[in-house]
Amino acid sequence: LHPHMSRNVARMWGIYTLMTLLCTAALYATDKRSVFDSVCLAMSTVSTGGFMPASDGMAGYGTGTMMVLTLFMFLSGVNIAMLYNLFTFHWRRLRRSSEFVVYAVLFVLAAAVCTVAFAAKGAPWDTAARYSLFHIASTVSTCGFYTATPPEWPFVASVVTFLLIPSGAMAGSTGGGLKLRRLMTLF
């Protein structure tokens, strides 16, 4: 981000603070949750910690909360330098990053496969897409949020999850896993 370490750290703090504030505001605005819930969910999402104030997972939250968390889980799996490019409107650098392209393509393909699997099991297409996007975002960012217990998922969704768990998010993100860059280098 910057050759001087102090400015580098300040920019990283700024990016994560901005993401946390944006996520908090979006969560508070969507389902009119308490400020406490919004702050806890935002901090847990941006840090990919996976803590949820409600003991019943996403069942205690609405559709708006699910979609906001999906977006911010996806963003939390992105490299900090790519987030800096995003927030400074240097979007061409995102397209030139092979790791970001692979991350985005894997995310979309996995969500599409899971959407078809949920729809084949009888879920309406919009519900299937919403749950699939949330599930894949939670898996690749290693956030750990959940919507339903694994036996209720279609077998295909379990296979996709099993294949995505080791990869994790992009290198330089808050997500866990082996990191996508290392797997790309291996292949």
Side-chain angles (χ1 to χ4, degrees), residues 99-110:
E99 186 180 20
F100 180 78
V101 170
V102 169
Y103 178 72
V105 167
L106 275 175
F107 178 81
V108 169
L109 287 176

Side-chain angles (χ1 to χ4, degrees), residues 41-51 72-78 137-138 140-145 169 173-176 179:
L41 281 173
M43 289 172 55
S44 183
T45 301
V46 172
S47 69
T48 63
F51 166 77
F72 281 94
M73 281 189 290
F74 176 81
L75 290 175
S76 296
V78 174
S138 180
V140 297
S141 69
T142 66
C143 214
F145 291 149
S173 70
T174 59
K179 303 293 186 182

Side-chain angles (χ1 to χ4, degrees), residues 26-66:
L27 287 168
Y28 184 74
T30 54
D31 289 334
K32 300 296 182 209
R33 293 310 235 167
S34 69
V35 174
F36 176 77
D37 268 357
S38 299
V39 169
C40 285
L41 281 173
M43 289 172 55
S44 183
T45 301
V46 172
S47 69
T48 63
F51 166 77
M52 220 175 233
S55 62
D56 53 352
M58 281 307 298
Y61 298 99
T63 302
T65 299
M66 182 183 281

Side-chain angles (χ1 to χ4, degrees), residues 106 140 142 163-170 176-181 183:
L106 275 175
V140 297
T142 66
L163 294 174
L164 287 177
I165 285 175
S167 71
M170 291 175 63
L178 292 173
K179 303 293 186 182
L180 200 52
R181 171 64 67 194
L183 291 176

Side-chain angles (χ1 to χ4, degrees), residues 74-171:
F74 176 81
L75 290 175
S76 296
V78 174
N79 181 323
I80 186 72
M82 293 294 111
L83 288 174
Y84 180 77
N85 290 327
L86 178 73
F87 288 125
T88 57
F89 304 105
H90 293 107
W91 297 330
R92 289 184 183 176
R93 293 180 185 165
L94 293 172
R95 286 185 288 170
R96 287 188 288 199
S97 168
S98 59
E99 186 180 20
F100 180 78
V101 170
V102 169
Y103 178 72
V105 167
L106 275 175
F107 178 81
V108 169
L109 287 176
V113 168
C114 288
T115 298
V116 170
F118 277 111
K121 197 168 180 182
W125 282 97
D126 62 330
T127 303
R130 186 172 58 248
Y131 277 86
S132 296
L133 287 167
F134 180 84
H135 172 67
I136 297 302
S138 180
T139 301
V140 297
S141 69
T142 66
C143 214
F145 291 149
Y146 64 94
T147 55
T149 56
E152 297 172 13
W153 295 339
F155 179 72
V156 173
S158 297
V159 170
V160 169
T161 302
F162 182 74
L163 294 174
L164 287 177
I165 285 175
S167 71
M170 291 175 63

